[in-house]
């Protein structure tokens, strides 16, 4: 197939895996992290689902002014340098150090236990979410998923975490999740009242447990004992992904303003440009959707999904 030429002049082209069929933006924590970061930083971008890996064999990767950058950490550094964005400018030296430590725990440790649950233990359910079409799509999905399973198991063994038993791996996963829950506490975001880069990272990984692993231990943990992590995920989803709706939404996370009308949503954006700022006219008046309203005009402020709602719910039990 002849490849389509992309013009990345003054435009961020985000290469990532295709959207899954269950309404979640991505089955890849790193792809979801990167796209969420772009929305948090309010940077217009264009998705491109060509399935082509970067020269380093990475996904996601970006093109900007014909420059190719892969690896989410290097992409963020590149965008900060070129475009002057910085989600961490409100953080002090100690908070920046904590933020990096949490990022490395999530990406170098917690990631592997989620990958195991997704591509090994829960492979049958994951296979249903993979987006492939055509006369041999079912066979191709089976082949793709089982190849991925083998790759994940091999890389986990090389990492070292894959040399433990399944029970031991889940013990490590639960320790990481409880650490995140303890660090978050009653705060809106990991580092306080404002979002920072670490929130894109944590959300990208926790979202997999929240919405792509039905019936598994990480899902039961995040929606049970560690409910503050579930509300954290909902908080970010509502603020930065207003078009993302999930059929299995739990009413515990809904605000009193929610109604059946608020269940109406548009499909996630594919090839068109996305920007939160482009929905305002020159005088600053909202002309359609804003970052703090959904498609019905209902509020999506953080206060809609806070710990007070959960405490009231618990007191009613």
């Amino acid at each position: 197939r002849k490849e389509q030429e992309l013009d990345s002049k003054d435009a961020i082209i985000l290469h990532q895996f295709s959207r899954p069929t269950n309404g979640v933006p991505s089955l890849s924590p790193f792809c979801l992290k990167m796209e969420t970061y772009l929305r948090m930083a309010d940077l217009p971008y264009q998705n491109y689902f060509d399935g082509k890996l970067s020269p380093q064999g990475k996904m996601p990767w970006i093109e900007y002014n014909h420059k190719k950058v892969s690896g989410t950490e290097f992409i963020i550094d590149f965008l900060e340098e070129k475009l002057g964005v910085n989600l961490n400018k409100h953080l002090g030296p100690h908070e920046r150090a904590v933020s990096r430590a949490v990022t490395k725990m999530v990406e170098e440790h917690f990631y592997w236990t989620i990958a195991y649950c997704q591509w090994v233990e829960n492979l049958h359910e994951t296979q249903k979410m993979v987006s492939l079409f055509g006369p041999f799509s079912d066979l191709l999905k089976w082949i793709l998923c089982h190849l991925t399973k083998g790759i994940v198991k091999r890389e986990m063994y090389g990492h070292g975490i894959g040399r433990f038993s399944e029970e031991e791996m889940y013990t490590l996963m639960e320790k990481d999740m409880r650490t995140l829950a303890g660090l978050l506490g009653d705060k809106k975001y990991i580092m306080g009242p404002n979002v920072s880069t670490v929130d894109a990272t944590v959300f990208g990984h926790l979202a997999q447990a929240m919405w792509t692993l039905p019936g598994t231990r990480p899902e039961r943990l995040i929606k049970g004992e560690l409910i503050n992590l579930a509300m954290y995920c909902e908080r970010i989803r509502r603020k930065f992904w207003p078009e993302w709706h999930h059929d299995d939404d739990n009413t515990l996370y809904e605000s009193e303003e929610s109604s059946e009308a608020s269940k109406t949503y548009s499909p996630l954006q594919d090839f068109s440009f996305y920007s939160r700022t482009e929905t305002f006219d020159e005088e600053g008046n909202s002309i359609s959707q804003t970052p703090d309203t959904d498609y019905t005009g209902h509020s999506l402020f953080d206060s809609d999904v806070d710990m007070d709602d959960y405490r009231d719910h618990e007191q009613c039990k």
Side-chain angles (χ1 to χ4, degrees), residues 188 234-235 237-242 253-259 261-262 288-306 309:
K188 290 183 177 180
E234 280 290 345
R235 194 173 297 132
R237 186 183 74 158
R238 292 188 183 196
K239 190 171 184 66
F240 299 103
W241 290 92
Y253 314 128
E254 300 289 342
S255 67
E256 293 181 358
E257 296 177 354
S258 298
S259 65
S262 67
S288 58
Q289 171 200 351
T290 75
D292 297 312
T293 59
D294 64 14
Y295 286 99
T296 65
H298 288 148
S299 171
L300 290 167
F301 282 106
D302 293 340
S303 58
D304 288 347
V305 192
D306 57 25
D309 295 338

Side-chain angles (χ1 to χ4, degrees), residues 9 13 28 109 112 125 143 147 157 166 171 177 179-180 202 205 212 227 252 279-280 288 293 306 308:
K9 186 178 186 305
I13 308 297
S28 164
H109 195 265
W112 290 109
E125 291 297 324
I143 294 173
L147 283 174
Y157 189 84
E166 180 177 294
T171 297
M177 292 183 70
T179 298
L180 290 172
V202 174
H205 288 72
T212 73
I227 197 69
L252 173 60
T279 56
F280 295 87
S288 58
T293 59
D306 57 25
D308 291 337

Side-chain angles (χ1 to χ4, degrees), residues 13-25:
I13 308 297
L14 176 61
H15 295 260
Q16 62 169 313
F17 297 115
S18 298
R19 302 286 196 207
T21 60
N22 66 333
V24 175

Side-chain angles (χ1 to χ4, degrees), residues 219-273:
E219 187 203 47
R220 293 195 299 270
L221 191 61
I222 196 173
K223 293 182 178 179
E225 178 184 345
L226 307 181
I227 197 69
N228 66 328
L229 293 182
M231 305 185 94
Y232 167 79
C233 288
E234 280 290 345
R235 194 173 297 132
I236 292 178
R237 186 183 74 158
R238 292 188 183 196
K239 190 171 184 66
F240 299 103
W241 290 92
E243 78 276 34
W244 170 8
H245 168 77
H246 197 266
D247 291 337
D248 296 328
D249 283 347
N250 192 316
T251 55
L252 173 60
Y253 314 128
E254 300 289 342
S255 67
E256 293 181 358
E257 296 177 354
S258 298
S259 65
E260 288 302 316
S262 67
K263 300 301 182 182
T264 301
Y265 67 102
S266 299
L268 293 171
Q269 296 298 305
D270 288 342
F271 289 92
S272 59
F273 275 94

